[in-house]
Amino acid sequence: MIKLHYLDNSRAHRILWLLEELGLEYEVEIYHRGSDMRGPDSLKAVHPLGKSPIIEDGDRVIAESGAIVEYLVETYGGDELRPTGSEERLRYSYWLHYAEGSAMPLLLLKLIFARLPGQVPWFLKAPAALMCKGVSRTLVEPQLRDHIRFWNGELARDGWFAGKNFSAADIMMSFPVETAASRIDEAKAMGAIRSYLAAIRARPAYQRALARGGAYVYAES
């Protein structure tokens, strides 16, 4: 029996969704964030870094969303979630790794700069807010706009990231796209992105994952 260690409102939603798409039997242990928005220390008993998602499958403990997705698709016959054509397979591999390698660092930087002024002493709040706003506006947001337009252009081709069919690459990309749509008006306004969000959320496995994991804030963007 696969066990998923699931932190609320996190990347772990993708793994719960993938398990449902694959029709696998699994159990899920749900963890809740503390006031610092971090997962509880009990996650470190499962994996030294204490991050989620983590799965246990027999004696294997596997962390990192991309590694978990690749393992589940390759191990449990998810051929319908992995393109077979050479060009589509290249696109699939690209987006599978791009999600965490390129998209999420920028989204995380935007979040850090938004929250940092609230974490400093009162007499530093004003200069910290000015600095963070300036850095985000000049360095982070222009890059994010480029990425968001890139997503929209790619989705406008076929409706999915790796070709004409839904794949695990769409599951991996769901978190950056949903996160961006919840925080950046431009992402929410783009037609192909809106259609993609509607399509993934209409999938029965996505809805079953919501029912199993509980409230997921990014599903509301």
Side-chain angles (χ1 to χ4, degrees):
M1 177 74 73
I2 295 169
K3 182 175 183 178
L4 169 63
H5 296 271
Y6 179 95
L7 179 64
D8 59 346
N9 292 321
S10 76
R11 294 162 167 88
H13 169 74
R14 294 182 295 196
I15 308 305
L16 191 55
W17 175 18
L18 176 58
L19 289 165
E20 289 290 344
E21 291 282 358
L22 291 169
L24 299 177
E25 292 187 10
Y26 65 92
E27 59 180 297
V28 57
E29 183 168 350
I30 297 175
Y31 301 79
H32 298 286
R33 298 178 184 274
S35 57
D36 59 0
M37 297 304 293
R38 298 179 64 184
D41 288 342
S42 54
L43 271 168
K44 290 183 178 178
V46 186
H47 187 277
L49 296 182
K51 300 292 185 180
S52 174
I54 308 166
I55 64 166
E56 294 181 79
D57 190 11
D59 294 333
R60 295 187 175 112
V61 176
I62 305 170
E64 289 293 335
S65 297
I68 295 170
V69 168
E70 286 190 313
Y71 171 80
L72 290 173
V73 171
E74 291 173 5
T75 305
Y76 292 101
D79 287 341
E80 70 278 9
L81 297 178
R82 182 173 53 183
T84 56
S86 59
E87 289 303 315
E88 290 187 340
R89 180 62 69 90
L90 283 173
R91 288 173 65 183
Y92 169 83
S93 181
Y94 173 81
W95 291 109
L96 203 68
H97 294 279
Y98 165 95
E100 291 295 325
S102 294
M104 284 310 301
L106 286 170
L107 289 163
L108 182 59
L109 280 173
K110 181 173 175 61
L111 178 63
I112 288 171
F113 285 126
R115 290 186 175 177
L116 185 60
Q119 306 301 313
V120 299
W122 65 268
F123 56 88
L124 292 176
K125 288 186 183 298
L130 285 173
M131 181 193 71
C132 289
K133 184 176 180 180
V135 172
S136 183
R137 184 176 63 247
T138 58
L139 295 180
V140 178
E141 292 173 12
Q143 292 189 67
L144 270 174
R145 286 195 293 271
D146 288 343
H147 284 256
I148 290 165
R149 290 166 186 160
F150 177 41
W151 303 345
N152 195 68
E154 289 295 296
L155 289 168
R157 293 170 60 184
D158 300 306
W160 302 111
F161 278 102
K164 296 185 182 300
N165 298 308
F166 173 80
S167 73
D170 294 296
I171 295 176
M172 277 298 293
M173 280 300 298
S174 67
F175 190 75
V177 175
E178 288 189 304
T179 302
S182 72
R183 298 173 182 167
I184 303 168
D185 289 340
E186 187 172 358
K188 198 171 185 177
M190 290 191 169
I193 288 176
R194 286 202 314 271
S195 296
Y196 166 79
L197 291 174
I200 63 173
R201 291 165 178 170
R203 293 185 70 84
Y206 184 102
Q207 293 298 320
R208 291 196 300 271
L210 290 181
R212 190 80 182 266
Y216 175 62
V217 66
Y218 300 114
E220 302 169 3
S221 58

